[in-house]
Amino acid sequence: FEQAVKDFLEWSKIEHSSKPASFKRISYSCRPLVDYFGKTKVDRIEKTDIENYVKKRSSQVSKKTGELLTRDT
């Protein structure tokens, strides 16, 4: 997974070269995914793994707002 995100971010940096804020947001958004899935092979990630990730993230507090994370934060 980690390598897939790295490859995606390389593509995204080129794709969004005229919008650096977009690339920055995407890059920032990928960090918790890489922290969670790490070196897991992409084809080994199952629906339950994603559901567990969403549960974990939704129980975390936003550094910016101090509130629980939602899909909007």
Side-chain angles (χ1 to χ4, degrees), residues 12-73:
S12 181
K13 188 172 188 175
I14 295 166
E15 182 70 15
H16 300 288
S17 61
S18 65
K19 299 178 181 178
S22 293
F23 173 73
K24 184 177 179 180
R25 179 184 49 79
I26 292 167
S27 180
Y28 183 79
S29 296
C30 287
R31 290 180 194 166
L33 288 163
V34 171
D35 289 346
Y36 188 83
F37 291 107
K39 297 190 182 295
T40 304
K41 292 186 177 197
V42 173
D43 64 353
R44 300 286 186 181
I45 297 173
E46 302 203 6
K47 182 180 177 181
T48 55
D49 298 317
I50 296 167
E51 290 169 346
N52 289 336
Y53 169 78
V54 170
K55 285 179 190 175
K56 180 181 180 205
R57 288 290 288 163
S58 64
S59 69
Q60 294 175 332
V61 175
S62 168
K63 292 177 184 176
K64 184 177 180 179
T65 66
E67 298 177 6
L68 288 176
L69 292 174
T70 66
R71 292 178 186 255
D72 299 326
T73 56

